[in-house]
Amino acid sequence: MIETASLVDQYCHGVLTTELGLGAFEAQLGGAAALPAPGTTFFDTQLGAAVRRWCPPLLGLEPHCTPARYLARRRELGTPEVTRRLLRATGISTYLVDTGSGGTDPAGELTGAAETAAAGAARGREIVRLEPLAVRVAATAGGVGAFLTGLAEAVHTAAASAVALSAAATTHPGHALDPEPPGPGEVRGAAGRWLSARACGGPGDGRLTDPVLLRHLHWSAVRTGLPLHLGAGGGADPYPFAAATAGTGGALVLRDTYPYHRDAALLAGLLSQVHADLGSVLTRTGAGAAGVLAEMLESAPFGKLLFSTGARGLPELHLVGARVFRVALERVLGGWVRDGAWSAADARRVAGLIAAGNARRVHGLAEA
């Protein structure tokens, strides 16, 4: 067996503290996905199947019980007890929690780093999300100059206490992320347009989606020297930006890369500062996670892959992320040992790197 004594969840969100009905629970399972097909639910996915496999026994139920039975037992125990049971069964010793969307979840408030860690009997550190930070500054800024000054101060303050910064690569899936930092005039113009649109109540819902301001934030983060967690969902191409920032800041951790995980692994092999997050890649593939992990191990140096759950909202997702990772690791590395391709000592060493060691090195964390 390939054992991993403890895990560092290098990217996740907090959990909901509210009681959830069937519809709200399923919406959390689906995340940003479209509605399921008529007559089906989000339990009819690899993630849903994994929840039904791993979570019921921790609530005193048989594996693979029906969703209705599971949710009834969940309500019977109450959210705080369910959260404690699930988080403390993950084997996660440290949670790095992106707190940027804590108050915007339609189902309720998400716990912060300290609350999440306390529920899981673990340690917690904060990852600061840049887009909501800009929105908070804009809410009190008196004009373009005040906004840009306040934004620079806010990023500097966040970098003093956070373990990493986080942002989305682009608001345009499939597009390359512009590699160059915008000039001062370009930034002021974009800020003026965005602030005016906010003052007029539109378009959009007040979120920061302007590509120039996003680029400005990305480069502001790079200059802090902290790791930047860059969400590359939707097929956004991070290579030009990654190449332009090589040697200029801290680590660049690519997350949300499925089904483009091979590209992320290849990029991690090409550029020294680039690392690839395993979180949503493995969780979304569930029973097929071992195959996906093997694909990433084909291309990325072993010191460039970092375990995370990528979980948000449901403590079930933290538990599933940890269990799916451990099973996939045993099937891949353990299989190579049994075949004679690897030694057991090498398998244990590489497992320790991916499970916790790489995250500790990238984020400057002390041993648990």
Side-chain angles (χ1 to χ4, degrees):
M1 292 288 291
I2 306 301
E3 297 291 342
T4 49
S6 67
L7 304 174
V8 172
D9 189 347
Q10 77 96 35
Y11 185 84
C12 67
H13 297 270
V15 298
L16 290 163
T17 58
T18 51
E19 300 289 343
L20 299 177
L22 177 61
F25 188 94
E26 289 186 4
Q28 292 295 318
L29 271 185
L35 293 174
T40 69
T41 77
F42 284 122
F43 278 102
D44 297 322
T45 60
Q46 284 282 12
L47 177 57
V51 167
R52 292 176 56 222
R53 162 63 182 92
W54 296 110
C55 298
L58 294 168
L59 307 191
L61 300 171
E62 70 280 5
H64 309 296
C65 70
T66 65
R69 179 168 164 77
Y70 178 77
L71 291 174
R73 177 61 172 161
R74 201 182 193 279
R75 289 191 296 272
E76 179 183 337
L77 291 171
T79 296
E81 177 64 16
V82 170
T83 297
R84 283 193 296 270
R85 290 192 185 194
L86 295 178
L87 292 188
R88 295 184 184 196
T90 61
I92 293 170
S93 62
T94 305
Y95 292 93
L96 306 187
V97 182
D98 183 331
T99 57
S101 57
T104 61
D105 194 291
E109 187 78 16
L110 298 179
T111 56
E115 296 170 287
T116 304
R123 296 189 298 178
R125 296 291 301 275
E126 183 181 15
I127 296 173
V128 172
R129 185 67 177 254
L130 293 171
E131 297 94 336
L133 188 69
V135 170
R136 290 196 295 272
V137 173
T140 58
V144 171
F147 167 71
L148 293 177
T149 299
L151 185 58
E153 292 174 351
V155 172
H156 176 76
T157 299
S161 59
V163 72
L165 302 173
S166 172
T170 175
T171 57
H172 303 287
H175 289 199
L177 183 63
D178 194 319
E180 299 302 325
E186 194 178 2
V187 172
R188 289 187 65 87
R193 290 189 297 273
W194 183 58
L195 292 173
S196 295
R198 282 177 52 84
C200 295
D205 55 5
R207 293 182 297 174
L208 177 58
T209 59
D210 183 274
V212 172
L213 291 181
L214 288 175
R215 259 195 301 150
H216 176 64
L217 280 177
H218 296 156
W219 278 95
S220 297
V222 167
R223 294 182 184 113
T224 69
L226 282 181
L228 172 61
H229 291 242
L230 198 62
D237 180 8
Y239 175 77
F241 177 76
T245 57
T248 63
L252 184 64
V253 184
L254 303 179
R255 55 178 175 79
D256 301 329
T257 59
Y258 186 81
Y260 305 98
H261 52 283
R262 279 182 175 271
D263 295 335
L266 286 168
L267 188 53
L270 288 173
L271 297 172
S272 61
Q273 90 278 23
V274 176
H275 296 69
D277 172 81
L278 295 175
S280 61
V281 173
L282 300 187
T283 303
R284 289 179 61 178
T285 50
V292 176
L293 177 60
E295 289 178 345
M296 297 189 76
L297 286 166
E298 291 173 3
S299 304
F302 307 139
K304 294 296 199 72
L305 299 177
L306 290 80
F307 160 77
S308 83
T309 64
R312 183 181 190 279
L314 300 177
E316 282 84 354
L317 304 185
H318 296 79
L319 187 281
V320 164
R323 293 293 173 88
V324 166
F325 168 72
R326 282 196 164 100
V327 169
L329 205 64
E330 165 59 26
R331 288 179 178 170
V332 176
L333 300 189
W336 293 345
V337 171
R338 289 186 288 274
D339 290 343
W342 278 38
S343 71
D346 281 342
R348 287 192 295 270
R349 181 177 59 83
V350 171
L353 288 175
I354 299 172
N358 293 337
R360 290 193 182 108
R361 184 190 71 252
V362 167
H363 296 94
L365 302 175
E367 290 282 344

